[in-house]
Amino acid sequence: MSYPHLFQPLDLGFTQLKNRVLMGSMHTGLEESNDGFKKLSAFYAARAKGGVGLIVTGGFAPNFRGRLTPFSAQFSSSRAAEKHKVLTQAVHDNGGKIALQLLHAGRYAMHPLALSASDIRAPIGMFTPSQMSERQIQKTIRDFANSAYFAKQANYDGVEIMGSEGYLINQFICARTNVRYDNWGGSYQNRIRFPLEIIKAIREKVGADFIIIFRLSMLDLVEQGSTFDEVVELAQELEKAGVTILNTGIGWHEARIPTIATQVPRAAFSWVTEKLKNKVSIPLVTCNRINTPEVAENILATGQADMVSMARPFLADPEFVNKAEQNKTELINTCIGCNQACLDHVFKAKRATCLVNPQACYETELVLEPSDKTKSIGVIGAGMAGLSCAVSLAERGYQVTVFERNERIGGQFNLAMQIPGKEEFKETIRYFTNKLDHQNIVVKLNYSVEMDELRQFDEVIVATGVKPRAPQLEGSEHPKVIDYQTYIKNQPTLGQKVAVVGAGGIGIDVATMITEPENQTLDTWLQDWDIDKNIEFEGGLKPQDTYKPTREVWLMQRKKGSIGKGPGKTTGWIHKRTLEKRGVNMLAGVEYLKVNDDGLYIRHNEEVKLLDVDHVIMCAGQVSVNELAEALTINEINYHVIGGADYAGELDAKRAIRQGVELASKL
Ligand code: NAP
Ligand code: SF4
């Protein structure tokens, strides 16, 4: 077996987990929707069938005031227990185990009834919480215990108590949010009394044969967070109080350090869990940016943790574990850490899904049924839209031929994967390459298909993508000017001063690429973000280092207003922070006048300015490439246009891939 540590069972005494894989808690949005539980059952069933050892549900509030939003899911009654039986049944029927996560939002609650240890509003909070009274504290402890009891009634195998990410329990633990003078504040021993009383009350209520996972914030990444000695003390007390498994929490939601986005190196925080090894005797779970069986196996083999938690990788591929066990890792659809269809959706109150797997959370709706028709289908273009459509059509049993004008498949992802911090994108290309092969799809590369050849197909899919927009600008033919595709593909040497025209997703990527320090390693990345590996400073944050930029860069857009954030709701701030740290000049409301030997002339704040740059990189969006459509119409060939060829504005891979799968499901 290739991953012996990953597939070693974990004996918890009263029960056994079949492997070392925990599916971390993810809120999908189905928890609250009307017919959500049927869909959620199918979602969990697929992951249990796919081999996950232990699934943890999204967070459920133990009482009304602990809800994250006024309509967030709550779990605190026998009625809720009955309702949840469909979920536990679905998982058990497929050979898995499942724990319910109990999460009290505390001051992160987005309603005026928010409660916390003290009445201090979160920097990202909408409401100032009320300080909990003694009676409210005692009630909340009882509510956690009762909810755990009902979880047992619902046939859950355990509960996970959310003690990290800056939620209520974390708010009691840290001086940042707890300035109480009573028995629940002041000394560290007083501040950790709340989680310890919760665990004791739960254990008393559920008995010995029920899993209690505690998600412990091991690295807060905020000022006035815990030090490592404090984390150890709490971990040991939690073990004594009756916790079965300790899961790792990294960073509060208000922390200004990236912890899971794609630019975070793989397994970037496993060292934090490792520091706790041998300090407690219960199993430790590590998490964050673990997305391949190799990374997971290495963590376990080197003794950094006893289990690995992965969450988003199971949105990307429900069969992750089975494929690893059957040595078919080349067919794993890898999570690329983009957050675009999972967290970004949840933060916009939309149902979560996955950019690389649009069927995630749509298991009962976006179905690729085997077809009883035989059809031969030609797909023109092997970018994300064409590829997702081709493999989905083949899955339904159609005969598919893919034509690609370039020498390799992948389209725009071939550019994206060259951007520092976006190396994961090559995994998607690897996945599709192997899927094409596995499904016997004919692929013709370096091939411009002719109309005569297209006549033989029952259907033709036009997925010919986009090309860079070439804006009208005096001097745009000057040797200083280069379009982003040519720059990323050829990476010519640039001068010390560079202007980037256009600050959409690609402009930001290019500005990041040309200011990237050389030879980045995990240690230099941690240093760049001021993370203290000894966790001697509170919250694991060192005083900020000043970054020395290597190149002077201007990133510009014509629109007024915010610049540098990019499209991602949960990742935009990371892009902006990175560019700010690197001293990139970000200008909005710019008019581009001309380029000549002097550089780029712009009008900004009603003044004409010369940016004496050596190069101007054009990142001014894209236009569709779909000339074929007209010829197909004339020749009366049955065709469909998808991806960038269909619509280039605001095109992103999420829409392209989804469009490909949706079309395939209907043909
Ligand atoms: P984009 O997001 O549409 O941005 C185009 C940029 O070009 C804008 O800043 C626009 O700003 C500027 N522009 C448009 N017409 C112009 C003109 N005639 N002259 C000068 N500037 C002009 O497109 P993109 O950056 O090429 O990205 C393409 C797609 O890929 C987008 O959907 C994007 O979301 C996606 N993408 C996503 C990520 C990510 O991290 N999630 C990364 C890269 C790309 P003004 O009009 O204000 O000047
Ligand atoms: Fe991973 Fe992106 Fe899919 Fe989220 S949307 S699960 S980050 S690939």
Side-chain angles (χ1 to χ4, degrees):
M1 189 187 291
S2 301
Y3 308 104
H5 297 86
L6 201 58
F7 290 101
Q8 200 182 1
L10 182 63
D11 191 357
L12 298 174
F14 58 92
T15 189
Q16 270 216 340
L17 302 181
K18 64 181 173 191
N19 55 44
R20 303 301 178 108
V21 181
L22 180 139
M23 178 171 125
S25 174
M26 283 181 283
H27 188 82
T28 63
L30 291 170
E31 293 80 357
E32 289 90 13
S33 72
N34 278 343
D35 55 349
F37 268 50
K38 201 165 151 239
K39 294 170 188 166
L40 202 52
S41 306
F43 171 75
Y44 287 138
R47 276 75 197 163
K49 190 163 169 244
V52 173
L54 177 60
I55 291 173
V56 179
T57 66
F60 286 82
N63 58 31
F64 184 73
R65 295 187 77 168
R67 292 178 181 207
L68 195 54
T69 68
F71 301 107
S72 289
Q74 184 177 329
F75 184 90
S76 53
S77 62
S78 53
R79 203 162 140 248
E82 277 309 307
K83 187 178 169 200
H84 278 239
K85 280 183 180 164
V86 61
L87 302 182
T88 52
Q89 182 82 44
V91 172
H92 293 150
D93 285 351
N94 285 286
K97 286 192 161 51
I98 182 163
L100 177 86
Q101 191 190 67
L102 292 173
L103 179 156
H104 191 302
R107 71 176 189 161
Y108 284 161
M110 289 177 254
H111 53 71
L113 296 177
L115 289 172
S116 183
S118 298
D119 55 355
I120 306 169
R121 184 168 168 171
I124 55 167
M126 294 168 80
F127 296 93
T128 302
S130 306
Q131 172 166 316
M132 286 168 87
S133 65
E134 174 70 28
R135 195 181 56 80
Q136 284 169 325
I137 291 175
Q138 295 296 351
K139 178 180 178 307
T140 305
I141 293 169
R142 280 197 306 278
D143 289 341
F144 267 103
N146 286 334
S147 296
Y149 171 79
F150 289 126
K152 201 171 176 190
Q153 302 302 305
N155 300 325
Y156 279 106
D157 300 282
V159 284
E160 177 174 82
I161 305 305
M162 176 43 114
S164 64
E165 327 299 292
Y167 289 114
L168 180 72
I169 293 176
N170 220 172
Q171 292 160 25
F172 266 88
I173 295 168
C174 294
R176 174 183 183 80
T177 37
N178 183 343
V179 293
R180 303 176 70 99
Y181 293 107
D182 59 6
N183 283 343
W184 306 96
S187 67
Y188 189 65
Q189 289 66 33
N190 276 357
R191 282 185 273 130
I192 61 175
R193 191 182 305 267
F194 185 59
L196 296 177
E197 291 300 321
I198 289 173
I199 297 301
K200 284 182 206 158
I202 292 176
R203 186 51 85 203
E204 204 179 304
K205 198 93 183 176
V206 297
D209 59 346
F210 194 62
I211 300 170
I212 304 178
I213 308 164
F214 188 87
R215 187 100 186 257
L216 171 62
S217 187
M218 298 189 194
L219 183 70
D220 293 311
L221 296 177
V222 287
E223 286 82 19
Q224 293 181 282
S226 301
T227 61
F228 182 63
D229 289 347
E230 290 175 335
V231 171
V232 173
E233 184 179 334
L234 176 53
Q236 291 173 342
E237 291 300 322
L238 285 166
E239 179 176 1
K240 280 190 230 157
V243 163
T244 323
I245 295 173
L246 275 177
N247 194 357
T248 303
I250 303 286
W252 290 33
H253 284 313
E254 68 207 58
R256 278 300 163 247
I257 311 285
T259 53
I260 59 165
T262 190
Q263 46 278 84
V264 176
R266 287 178 175 178
F269 294 102
S270 301
W271 57 271
V272 181
T273 317
E274 185 181 13
K275 283 173 85 71
L276 214 60
K277 284 286 277 181
N278 306 321
K279 305 279 190 220
V280 288
S281 50
I282 48 179
L284 292 175
V285 185
T286 196
C287 56
N288 287 49
R289 287 286 287 120
I290 301 164
N291 64 342
T292 69
E294 290 77 13
V295 173
E297 175 69 17
N298 187 48
I299 286 168
L300 297 169
T302 54
Q304 288 187 298
D306 305 291
M307 262 188 113
V308 288
S309 166
M310 292 174 268
R312 296 171 301 167
F314 292 111
L315 285 176
D317 196 335
E319 285 287 321
F320 180 106
V321 178
N322 284 347
K323 287 178 185 173
E325 195 166 23
Q326 294 157 11
N327 282 326
K328 291 183 184 157
T329 43
E330 75 283 2
L331 288 174
I332 291 178
N333 197 358
T334 304
C335 164
I336 58 174
C338 64
N339 284 359
Q340 275 178 257
C342 50
L343 281 174
D344 282 356
H345 277 208
V346 172
F347 276 81
K348 287 189 227 152
K350 277 173 70 179
R351 191 193 312 183
T353 181
C354 173
L355 179 141
V356 298
N357 174 24
Q359 289 175 284
C361 299
Y362 288 81
E363 283 75 13
T364 57
E365 296 148 278
L366 185 49
V367 185
L368 295 171
E369 296 279 8
S371 173
D372 48 11
K373 294 176 242 162
T374 41
K375 262 191 195 180
S376 136
I377 302 181
V379 178
I380 314 169
M384 287 302 124
L387 289 171
S388 69
C389 194
V391 300
S392 305
L393 288 167
E395 202 153 316
R396 296 196 57 206
Y398 294 134
Q399 284 200 324
V400 184
T401 305
V402 175
F403 302 98
E404 168 57 52
R405 212 193 316 224
N406 291 306
E407 62 196 10
R408 57 173 71 100
I409 67 158
Q412 298 283 305
F413 266 38
N414 285 305
L415 301 179
M417 69 183 217
Q418 317 261 9
I419 307 295
K422 286 199 166 173
E423 294 82 0
E424 292 291 356
F425 284 60
K426 70 174 181 303
E427 297 292 351
T428 309
I429 300 179
R430 181 263 309 147
Y431 165 74
F432 277 122
T433 305
N434 294 322
K435 277 292 265 190
L436 292 171
D437 186 39
H438 193 247
Q439 291 173 311
N440 296 323
I441 295 174
V442 178
V443 183
K444 299 193 174 184
L445 297 175
N446 287 314
Y447 200 93
S448 285
V449 64
E450 300 291 334
M451 213 43 68
D452 275 349
E453 199 169 355
L454 291 175
R455 269 186 243 282
Q456 64 177 295
F457 295 109
D458 299 305
E459 314 259 1
V460 170
I461 315 294
V462 179
T464 39
V466 291
K467 63 181 180 195
R469 178 184 287 125
Q472 299 293 319
L473 173 64
E474 188 183 330
S476 60
E477 302 300 315
H478 194 280
K480 280 180 192 282
V481 180
I482 178 170
D483 73 78
Y484 76 86
Q485 279 203 357
T486 312
Y487 173 68
I488 300 174
K489 255 190 222 154
N490 304 341
Q491 297 188 25
T493 309
L494 293 179
Q496 283 307 104
K497 293 185 175 187
V498 179
V500 179
V501 168
I506 290 177
I508 291 168
D509 277 354
V510 166
T512 307
M513 187 172 187
I514 63 181
T515 52
E516 181 73 5
E518 277 178 13
N519 307 323
Q520 273 278 39
T521 61
L522 175 57
D523 279 343
T524 58
W525 184 87
L526 293 168
Q527 205 173 329
D528 277 356
W529 287 97
D530 310 309
I531 298 169
D532 162 30
K533 270 191 100 171
N534 296 320
I535 323 184
E536 281 167 358
F537 292 95
E538 289 173 351
L541 279 186
K542 283 187 299 196
Q544 284 182 8
D545 242 359
T546 334
Y547 188 87
K548 292 156 209 73
T550 49
R551 172 175 282 140
E552 192 167 11
V553 172
W554 287 263
L555 175 68
M556 293 168 288
Q557 68 183 25
R558 296 171 304 173
K559 284 185 288 292
K560 293 208 162 108
S562 164
I563 175 166
K565 271 184 127 182
K569 178 104 179 136
T570 61
T571 50
W573 65 270
I574 305 172
H575 296 302
K576 185 147 188 170
R577 188 79 198 99
T578 303
L579 297 177
E580 281 168 355
K581 276 161 106 54
R582 296 178 182 182
V584 171
N585 305 293
M586 289 181 256
L587 307 182
V590 171
E591 186 188 346
Y592 311 109
L593 300 175
K594 65 175 174 188
V595 182
N596 64 19
D597 288 350
D598 304 336
L600 171 66
Y601 284 86
I602 59 168
R603 186 173 290 119
H604 187 236
N605 290 338
E606 292 172 17
E607 259 179 62
V608 173
K609 293 180 189 162
L610 166 68
L611 307 180
D612 57 341
V613 293
D614 307 296
H615 288 98
V616 179
I617 307 181
M618 304 302 284
C619 306
Q622 294 125 356
V623 291
S624 298
V625 178
N626 60 2
E627 297 88 20
L628 267 177
E630 203 179 323
L632 286 162
T633 310
I634 294 166
N635 283 278
E636 295 180 351
I637 296 174
N638 197 10
Y639 72 94
H640 312 264
V641 185
I642 57 170
D646 174 34
Y647 179 64
E650 301 275 308
L651 172 77
D652 62 32
K654 181 177 74 175
R655 182 163 67 79
I657 293 178
R658 185 163 202 103
Q659 216 182 356
V661 180
E662 279 179 348
L663 176 63
S665 73
K666 289 178 195 144
L667 284 185

